Amino acid sequence: MRITSVLNQKGGVGKTGLAAGIGGALADRGRRVLLVDLDPQGHLTTEALGLSEASPDGPTLPDALTGVYRGPAKELIARHSSSQAGGVLDVLPHALAMFVAGRELDKLPAREWRLARLLEELADDYDACVLDCPPALDILTDNALAAAHGVVIPVQPERTSMRALGLLLDQIEALEAALRRPRLHLHGLVPSVYRRPLGKLASSVMGEFGQLDHLPLLAHLPLSVTVTEAWDAGRTVTDYAPDSEHAQAYRTVADAIEGTPA
């Protein structure tokens, strides 16, 4: 199972839409895909995919991360959809307890490896796993980085995004060193959630993104009513509007992910 974190500690850059889009693109080509909603806000579960939050009466993702639940990981999973190509899109859905899960994780041994160990149990059931990360450099993000093979970074063509990108890359390098784990594959950047035509400043920042040799620009995801409509229908963009510009962008990112070793 190839695990990819969609990550940027800066909020509002399109992490959730990109995670859902990648998952949909992979499922449409016949892959068994697991999406993990690590963001305490839960937009992947309820907004992008139209699913219900996990019931507090049953086992949840935060329960499993903190050790409250020690049963089979498959009991945590909700099915979103199946594709004509034979793929599936499953979800580890949001639960309200995610808001306090970080504080609980900070008290536990091997706290950065909790998610990795949970996903190990599911490794034979899926071809790909995509993690929608919180907008923070916190313990949940550390868990995503510890578990992942690679990272996709959505960005906005704004000056603040350049500084945020630098902080994120420093965090990744520090965590790799602290955990003595293999280097993560930095798949690249995906400029997202911006208006067209680009203004002078946005064009300048976009040019700076394009000059980062170690971080290729994988695809572009400007603001689009197609994404809003797909979310309102609880469907992925590749399913809702397969011929759209955004659907093709998600397929391009999926190509980049599948073209690197797990």
Side-chain angles (χ1 to χ4, degrees):
M1 182 173 70
R2 184 193 308 269
I3 304 172
T4 304
S5 287
V6 178
L7 177 60
N8 192 326
Q9 80 278 12
K10 190 175 185 295
V13 298
K15 288 185 293 294
T16 297
L18 181 54
I22 294 170
L26 290 170
D28 283 351
R29 60 182 60 173
R31 309 295 187 260
R32 301 166 299 164
V33 183
L34 178 65
L35 289 173
V36 181
D37 195 344
L38 278 181
D39 188 344
Q41 298 176 83
H43 294 315
L44 177 68
T45 300
T46 59
E47 303 288 337
L49 300 176
L51 297 174
S52 299
E53 294 179 340
S55 170
D57 297 328
T60 65
L61 174 58
D63 289 341
L65 292 176
T66 58
V68 173
Y69 173 72
R70 299 178 182 274
K74 65 182 180 181
E75 296 298 322
L76 306 170
I77 293 170
R79 173 62 51 88
H80 177 267
S81 56
S82 302
S83 72
Q84 292 183 349
V88 298
L89 190 61
D90 284 352
V91 184
L92 272 173
H94 175 261
L96 287 176
M98 284 299 292
F99 282 103
V100 297
R103 292 201 299 270
E104 296 302 315
L105 282 170
D106 278 331
K107 305 173 186 177
L108 300 175
R111 58 184 186 170
E112 296 91 352
W113 295 104
R114 295 283 172 148
L115 178 62
R117 290 173 180 171
L118 177 65
L119 295 179
E120 282 177 6
E121 187 180 335
L122 300 167
D124 293 335
D125 299 329
Y126 296 96
D127 304 303
C129 175
V130 182
L131 311 177
D132 183 25
C133 300
L137 297 178
D138 61 6
I139 187 60
L140 291 175
T141 296
D142 285 349
N143 266 262
L145 291 172
H149 300 105
V151 177
V152 174
I153 307 172
V155 291
Q156 283 182 296
E158 299 175 352
R159 185 60 60 199
T160 54
S161 287
M162 291 300 295
R163 182 173 185 275
L165 178 59
L167 292 172
L168 175 58
L169 295 177
D170 287 345
Q171 173 82 353
I172 291 173
E173 185 175 347
L175 185 124
E176 288 171 340
L179 299 185
R180 300 180 181 178
R181 60 145 294 153
R183 293 186 67 85
L184 285 153
H185 188 92
L186 302 179
H187 295 293
L189 306 178
V190 182
S192 305
V193 198
Y194 61 89
R195 297 185 182 280
R196 292 184 294 190
L198 290 174
K200 183 177 179 179
L201 177 58
S203 295
S204 175
V205 175
M206 194 76 82
E208 291 180 38
F209 287 147
Q211 294 173 11
L212 299 173
D213 294 335
H214 63 298
L215 286 172
L217 295 180
L218 301 177
H220 292 262
L221 293 168
L223 288 166
S224 171
V225 68
T226 301
V227 176
T228 305
E229 291 175 347
W231 283 32
D232 188 60
R235 296 164 63 184
T236 64
V237 171
T238 51
D239 174 49
Y240 178 80
D243 298 325
S244 66
E245 174 188 8
H246 278 58
Q248 184 53 51
Y250 294 134
R251 294 187 193 104
T252 299
V253 179
D255 287 341
I257 292 171
E258 293 210 310
T260 57

